[in-house]
Amino acid sequence: MQSTVNSPAQAMLSKVPEVTLMFWVVKIAATTLGETGGDAVSMSMQLGYLAATGIFAVLFLLAVAAQIGAKRYHPVLYWTTIIATTTVGTTLADFADRSLGIGYAGGASLLFALLLASLAIWHRTLGTVSVVSVSSPKSEMFYWMTIMFSQTLGTALGDWTADTAGLGYGGGAIVFGALLALVAAAYYRTRLSHTVLFWAAFILTRPLGAVVGDFLDKPFDAGGLALSRYTASAVLLALIAASMRLFPQKAAVKTH
């Protein structure tokens, strides 16, 4: 799904990247990295979900502050912030679902309600939730809050699909991959709002990354490949860096 510009002569650059195929490739890799990276700190380092959430929350707030303070779109800074939201989303969802005993269904329902509320307040305040409108501190705050909720929701939803629903990691990946394919088809073949379809796709990439990340690092007897979380995270980080280097992303354009 790709953003379009109707009047290039009257346009200004946004603080987020243009939505192209490579945007989605890097987004899925980043969400998968969030799962393996979050698990590496909370489980492999044995710090626990609460301590890991605290660490990643600080990194998330620092990254968002730097992103909002930047004058223009910086690819490395933007994707660093995205990764920060995925890692804190992973540990926060695990803490709520497992340590607090809310459960996957309860956690997913709560986070879905918060996500819808964030989008509703954003739209009511600024009149749009389109990503090409993200060029002011206020719109960026709504943008990153919404992304934070979507990333946390995705972790809970991915775990619920793989574990509670009994589909396993492979089955979960097929389900979310199929749903993303349907969203892509709707983008090109229907007149549904591209903004709505963007957020639908954005939300679905997170549970896809969650189940793929779990598939990479969970033990064989749990249906995974038993890869080291550190190794999997390093490979995913290298893939993201290579994709950004080989396929540079431009800033999205906001039309007046």
Side-chain angles (χ1 to χ4, degrees), residues 51-74:
T53 298
I55 293 171
F56 289 127
V58 171
L59 296 177
F60 165 69
L61 292 174
L62 291 174
V64 169
Q67 172 71 19
I68 293 177
K71 300 301 182 182
R72 59 185 178 85
Y73 166 64
H74 295 278

Side-chain angles (χ1 to χ4, degrees), residues 21-245:
L21 176 61
M22 286 310 301
F23 172 88
W24 295 112
V25 171
V26 177
K27 172 61 167 62
I28 292 172
T31 58
T32 308
L33 171 59
E35 190 70 20
T36 59
D39 287 349
V41 173
S42 63
M43 298 180 186
S44 296
M45 293 183 181
Q46 299 181 346
L47 295 182
Y49 299 127
L50 183 58
T53 298
I55 293 171
F56 289 127
V58 171
L59 296 177
F60 165 69
L61 292 174
L62 291 174
V64 169
Q67 172 71 19
I68 293 177
K71 300 301 182 182
R72 59 185 178 85
Y73 166 64
H74 295 278
V76 173
L77 178 57
Y78 175 84
W79 287 110
T80 296
T81 310
I82 287 288
I83 293 170
T85 66
T86 65
T87 49
V88 72
T90 294
T91 56
L92 180 58
D94 287 341
F95 175 71
D97 297 341
R98 301 169 185 174
S99 298
L100 295 182
I102 295 176
Y104 297 135
S109 299
L110 174 62
L111 289 162
F112 185 63
L114 291 172
L115 174 61
L116 292 181
S118 178
L119 287 168
I121 296 171
W122 180 4
H123 190 276
R124 183 177 180 84
T125 303
L126 299 179
T128 179
V129 294
S130 172
V131 292
V132 297
S133 71
V134 181
S135 58
S136 68
K138 183 177 289 187
S139 62
E140 280 196 274
M141 288 181 66
F142 280 117
Y143 178 77
W144 290 110
M145 182 185 300
T146 303
I147 286 179
M148 174 64 187
F149 287 140
S150 75
Q151 304 284 41
T152 310
L153 167 64
T155 298
L157 189 58
D159 288 342
W160 179 84
T161 303
D163 297 334
T164 305
L167 295 181
Y169 306 124
I174 291 172
V175 167
F176 293 116
L179 290 174
L180 278 170
L182 289 176
V183 172
Y187 181 91
Y188 290 109
R189 297 182 178 276
T190 73
R191 295 184 178 181
L192 291 175
S193 167
H194 284 185
T195 298
V196 171
L197 292 173
F198 167 83
W199 283 110
F202 198 95
I203 293 166
L204 286 170
T205 57
R206 183 61 186 102
L208 176 61
V211 293
V212 172
D214 283 338
F215 174 70
L216 293 176
D217 64 31
K218 287 298 186 287
F220 291 117
D221 57 4
L225 295 180
L227 298 178
S228 162
R229 295 186 178 104
Y230 303 118
T231 300
S233 298
V235 170
L236 288 164
L237 186 60
L239 174 61
I240 293 170
S243 298
M244 292 170 58
R245 177 70 175 176

